[in-house]
Amino acid sequence: MCFGLANHALAEDGYDLWLRYQPLESAARARYAPRIAALVAPGESATIRAAVDELDRGYRGMFGQPLARRQVVQDGAVLVARAGAPLLAGLELPFAKLGNGGYLIRSATLHGKRVTIIAGNTDQGALYGVFRFLKLIQTGQPIDALDIADAPKLQVRVLNHWDNLNGHVERGYAGLSIWDWQKLPRFNDPRYTDYARANAAIGINGTVLTNVNANADILRPDYLEKVKALAAVFRPYGIRVYLTARFSAPIELGGLKTADPLDPQVRAWWKSKIDEIYTVIPDFGGLLVKANSEGQPGPADYHRTHAEGANMLADALAPHHGIVMWRAFVYAAENAEDRHKQAYTEFQPLDGKFRDNVLVQVKNGAIDFQPREPFHPLFGAMPHTPLMMEFQITKEYLGFATHLAYLGTMWEEALSADTHRPGSVAKVLETQVEPGAVTGMAGVANIGNDRNWSGSQFDQANWYAFGRFAWDPEAKADAVARDWARMTWGNDPAVVGPVLRMMMGSREAVVDYMTPLGLGHQMATGHHYGPGPWIADLKRPEWNPVYYARAAPDGIGFDRTRTGSDALSQYAPEVAKAWGSLDTVPDSLLLWFHHVPWDYRMKSGRTLWDALVIHYDTGVDHVRAMQADWAGLRGKVDAQRWAEVRDFLAIQLDEAIWWRDASIAYFQSIAKRPLPAGHKPPAHDLDYYKAITTPYAPGQAG
Ligand code: GCW
């Protein structure tokens, strides 16, 4: 018996994510009980069964008993149904606005009984509604007078797993891949179902199972059988599977001499391969491609454009209603152009040249998932081409699994940025380029086989937030964080307050101690773990941190104005003007766009050098503040998860200080200025930091 024990005394390891369904306090139970007295769910589809199972599981967890299932409506019944169900006859419900994935939740009177209706145009919509209803209870919201209607603003809401067939996850910090290819298709780990539940709960409706640095073997018949088994687990939850296509697969698997997208044999090979995939998995979602980027094969190998490459696959997928997600993350080996400009240069002229079922997948910034980047200039610049957002949930550049960094604020910043072409990045994503055109968002997953899925308790928040932003790109990071905090740590305001404070400042703290004031990529080589601002000897200029900071005796920063690379010209004139002027560029992007003297006067009146040092310290201080907040939660959350977070914060503090000290040691060796008063010198000299090597840091490519 565990009655009488407070929740937080029970051991938890984080496995349950946002579906913990902890026992309610008796007052809450009494308050909710009259409104959730029975379940009436007439549908018999696998999706309705999943919805019923989830309600039952949630109810058992929170109320400590099974939820009665009834055929007829009674007082307090929860009705789960699809538009058109006889049960709902006579009720005027606004289904038209809900589209395919939307739902409504309504308190109503039906045949004289007070009921709660959860319904969508599809069973999928009803399932989403059930998760929302459960969330209301989990987060302590009233359910007496509900009138909720919600629908996703983007159609394709996918995770991208950078998982290799050997189980290694590129940029993965949560253990190995959860896909156990060796045991599939015979053994379906129950974890796959929990994965589907967790994703459906946040509206994710697709998953790309394999790494964009692709292996053609995933397209072999034996692997397709394994994919089929996963697809069967995910199907009831409305999650489609997608795969990555290695562009040279016709050579590797098909024995052809070429992978030229205009070659008839190549086209025939892809057509037959794609037909085969659909025979095995009739609702297969489509293909994701990284081409001619970082050594991956692609159409440029045959002097063809990205559009020609993408369209070949699109033509083969179209009869099956499949899509191609074609990545715009390209920068060429022999191209001396500012890396910031290269994707735009290559893709923008192709606007309108892609088939209707192609989405061009664009990273949020023009370089590469840095702690802070301005939005990618392609957003708004390809009005005739569906663009989808690619965010990186896994924290390759933000401290791996041990640094607490809530990315919701970063994504809100990117999505709410005004492209002036017109509208925000969010609006660009949401607006169909023509009626019926597809829209979407992808997130590079942070999921692995660690018990807590994401490598840390707080990294779960980033998976959660990705789902919420994919559903609604205009979501607010603080509201999302609040929901997550309540479902993950409980509704006690004395817990939620500090957790929110920690989360909301956390990403800026990482920016401050790693790459303040608009610096880009200062990470060590290859694994990107730890600082390497001095690195200057890598083959390609843009692989070197010195390429981004350009620290020199005369100052620091990358001039991307007209006097420099002119990357600003790729933005709308209003944006170029604001960011191009030292008077109006925000401090946060100063060094991204300008090279300024060390003694440059910031708006604060401080010199740039002093401001830089202060930012590093501000970042470190936030980590200390998070530690203090967390210390105050001892005993207020379960001991196991509490201790893990405490220890990870200690690692984060060590590493934040490492970042701060190494960066200051390096930049001071060039700036040759004293530290501002009250700011301590680095603990060691520059050579000490340069000598640190961590060859076995996790998540490396290859
Ligand atoms: O950020 C970089 C990573 C690579 C990754 C690449 C990409 C999958 O360091 O590991 O490759 O981006 O997005 O393609």
Side-chain angles (χ1 to χ4, degrees), residues 383-399:
H384 307 294
T385 308
L387 298 188
M388 71 190 286
M389 173 62 84
E390 178 175 325
F391 284 129
Q392 192 180 43
I393 308 170
T394 188
K395 302 205 314 300
E396 174 181 358
Y397 295 101
L398 287 103

Side-chain angles (χ1 to χ4, degrees), residues 489-504:
W489 301 108
N491 288 309
D492 178 356
V495 172
V496 176
V499 166
L500 274 182
R501 193 158 56 223
M502 293 165 68
M503 291 171 77
M504 292 304 289

Side-chain angles (χ1 to χ4, degrees), residues 162 170-171 211-213 290 293-294 327 329 363 368-369 390 392 396-397 528 701:
W162 286 357
E170 182 160 345
R171 312 311 176 184
N211 193 350
V212 288
N213 288 333
K290 171 176 177 177
S293 167
E294 300 184 330
R327 296 176 88 226
F329 176 69
K363 289 188 182 182
D368 194 2
F369 297 141
E390 178 175 325
Q392 192 180 43
E396 174 181 358
Y397 295 101
H528 301 151

